Amino acid sequence: MQLDINGLTPAQFLAEYWQKKPLVIRQGFKHFQDLISPEELAGLVMDEQVESRRVYQQAGQWQAEFGPFDSYDHLGERDWTLIVQALNNWVPDAEALIQCFDFIPRWRLDDVMVSFATPGGGVGPHIDLYDVFICQGSGRRRWRVGDLGPHKEFAAHPALLHTEAFEPIIDTELLPGDILYIPPGFPHDGITLEQSLSFSVGYRTASAKDMISALADHLSEQDLGAQQIKDPDRELTTRSGCVDNSDLGRLRTQLTNMLTEELVSEFSGRYLTQSKCALDLPDEPLDITQDEVLAWLDEQPLIRLGGLRCLYFDINVAQGVVYINGDKYQLSAELAAVIPLLCDSNQLDKSSLAPWLAHADLLTQLTEWVNLGYWYFEDLSDEEC
């Protein structure tokens, strides 16, 4: 799968469009093939671990239902949409789509969402707080996109936040292989013209509110941030009820001094690698030995589990620190050079791992990750595992 952004380089796209203005990308993917069929999607949403919802109108009122689902007959053949979040957690082919946008770092990736819609189907006019590349699969869908502005939002349903009517700056049909890029804050509305599938690659960051709340939990769990203010140079006050500017500065310094690069990387490494949706992990750790891992590596590469989040920081990667699925792993400094390979690559073959495989600690750690299901061998049957 190869991406063509209207002849723009990724650097030009980032400079001219990223978080600035929407863009219609004609035939961004030539000969695009759906990542999943409607029949396969219907089977997937029967799983209670899969996050899915249906959106439709009934008697002029918007409705939303959450899966799992096993029947659609009552919805008819028009005016409804089935949405699945985190398709990349369940369908390995979604990784190839994500890789096309890897000029944006993976820590910014939210997920790949798939939308199946019947004619007239949509989710209503709305505003997203994330960047999205809507990749049209089979069928056609009409999209209207408005400009930034003071758009009034309202709850069309407890699960649907809509925006009032807007004047479009883009009004177009997407055909298979076309892409619509929409930055945060631009109102948009898509209506399906014929039965169709679309695949949305979304990028977002957490709000400061959510990050601070999670940081407070981290400080409590790790018993950090217990330092109190010291003020041996305190001066006499005649205003006992006042927090003067000096004390305000002390309070601010207490908070900001806590936010060291070490603390921020430690917290955010764990926070950013937590998956918001379920992963396709084994119910119990597998029982694969180190010798089996080595033997299978002779035959095939290890593949990273779809949706698994792993990252590293420039400030401590040389110390062997890597974050995977919400946990911090401390490798030896001798293994630091293998960390970018683990996090930047979807597959690990024996030749790429060769410089470090003689190191017992790496083989031990790789085997642990294989048994957890974080990396797997594609051609092994369930019985072999």
Side-chain angles (χ1 to χ4, degrees):
M1 191 177 297
Q2 188 170 352
L3 173 65
D4 179 358
I5 314 176
N6 291 349
L8 298 173
T9 66
Q12 288 172 323
F13 168 79
L14 291 173
E16 297 178 29
Y17 292 97
W18 176 255
Q19 296 216 325
K20 302 175 186 69
K21 54 185 177 181
L23 175 66
V24 177
I25 305 170
R26 293 299 182 192
Q27 289 302 285
F29 294 114
K30 291 181 172 59
H31 313 297
F32 184 82
Q33 298 294 315
D34 289 335
L35 304 178
I36 190 170
S37 70
E39 293 74 22
E40 291 168 332
L41 189 62
L44 186 64
V45 299
M46 295 175 68
D47 189 330
E48 62 182 11
Q49 287 190 294
V50 176
E51 186 174 319
S52 59
R53 59 193 170 114
R54 293 189 301 213
V55 179
Y56 59 95
Q57 292 190 65
Q58 188 175 64
Q61 299 296 314
W62 285 94
Q63 305 293 329
E65 301 171 341
F66 294 87
F69 302 113
D70 57 13
S71 174
Y72 305 88
D73 293 342
H74 64 289
L75 295 176
E77 298 183 356
R78 288 188 54 87
D79 304 329
W80 59 271
T81 300
L82 174 65
I83 300 164
V84 172
Q85 301 290 155
L87 184 71
N88 48 307
N89 290 18
W90 306 99
V91 176
D93 286 347
E95 172 63 24
L97 179 61
I98 297 172
Q99 287 178 7
C100 293
F101 300 97
D102 268 349
F103 52 87
I104 303 163
R106 289 285 180 113
W107 75 266
R108 293 282 270 103
L109 176 69
D110 188 32
D111 68 355
V112 176
M113 183 186 79
V114 58
S115 170
F116 169 80
T118 58
V123 299
H126 63 284
I127 297 173
D128 291 323
L129 299 179
Y130 53 87
D131 297 86
V132 63
F133 296 90
I134 303 171
C135 308
Q136 183 64 35
S138 57
R140 296 178 300 128
R141 187 170 293 189
R142 179 190 177 191
W143 283 98
R144 299 168 64 254
V145 183
D147 207 346
L148 294 173
H151 302 286
K152 184 177 180 180
E153 294 180 283
F154 62 95
H157 177 275
L160 294 172
L161 186 62
H162 283 179
T163 185
E164 291 187 338
F166 56 85
E167 187 69 24
I169 57 174
I170 290 176
D171 189 341
T172 189
E173 287 185 20
L174 290 192
L175 303 178
D178 290 343
I179 303 170
L180 175 60
Y181 165 68
I182 307 175
F186 286 81
H188 52 281
D189 186 20
I191 299 177
T192 295
L193 303 176
E194 59 189 26
Q195 180 175 299
S196 70
L197 282 163
S198 62
F199 303 88
S200 301
V201 185
Y203 292 86
R204 78 164 77 212
T205 59
S207 68
K209 177 181 69 174
D210 290 342
M211 291 283 281
I212 290 172
S213 176
L215 176 60
D217 292 339
H218 176 77
L219 294 175
S220 178
E221 292 166 1
Q222 302 296 321
D223 195 22
L224 300 172
Q227 298 85 354
Q228 295 185 334
I229 291 175
K230 295 181 180 180
D231 53 357
D233 56 347
R234 175 161 294 282
E235 297 179 354
L236 178 70
T237 183
T238 59
R239 300 180 297 161
S240 63
C242 176
V243 178
D244 62 23
N245 290 338
S246 294
D247 281 342
L248 179 60
R250 289 185 177 98
L251 290 167
R252 184 175 185 275
T253 299
Q254 180 190 29
L255 294 174
T256 56
N257 282 354
M258 180 189 67
L259 297 176
T260 63
E261 287 187 338
E262 180 182 2
L263 174 66
V264 173
S265 63
E266 172 79 8
F267 157 69
S268 57
R270 296 175 184 272
Y271 182 81
L272 294 172
T273 56
Q274 294 173 354
S275 178
K276 69 172 187 177
C277 297
L279 298 173
D280 192 12
L281 294 168
D283 294 333
E284 298 291 338
L286 305 177
D287 190 22
I288 298 174
T289 66
Q290 294 183 22
D291 288 341
E292 288 172 324
V293 170
L294 280 176
W296 289 330
L297 270 173
D298 283 331
E299 305 295 331
Q300 57 186 301
L302 275 169
I303 301 174
R304 191 168 69 209
L305 181 69
L308 183 74
R309 296 176 180 268
C310 52
L311 57 82
Y312 57 94
F313 291 82
D314 281 339
I315 66 167
N316 57 17
V317 65
Q319 302 166 24
V321 177
V322 61
Y323 297 90
I324 301 175
N325 198 32
D327 291 319
K328 174 185 176 182
Y329 290 89
Q330 178 67 65
L331 307 183
S332 68
E334 297 170 308
L335 295 174
V338 79
I339 291 175
L341 180 65
L342 294 170
C343 298
D344 295 344
S345 305
N346 181 52
Q347 296 190 8
L348 305 171
D349 58 38
K350 195 163 190 178
S351 61
S352 62
L353 290 170
W356 304 281
L357 278 179
H359 201 296
D361 289 348
L362 177 63
L363 189 55
T364 298
Q365 189 60 76
L366 270 180
T367 303
E368 176 187 336
W369 289 332
V370 170
N371 282 314
L372 289 172
Y374 293 172
W375 275 266
Y376 65 94
F377 292 101
E378 184 175 26
D379 293 339
L380 296 184
S381 67
D382 292 338
E383 182 177 350
E384 288 176 295
C385 290

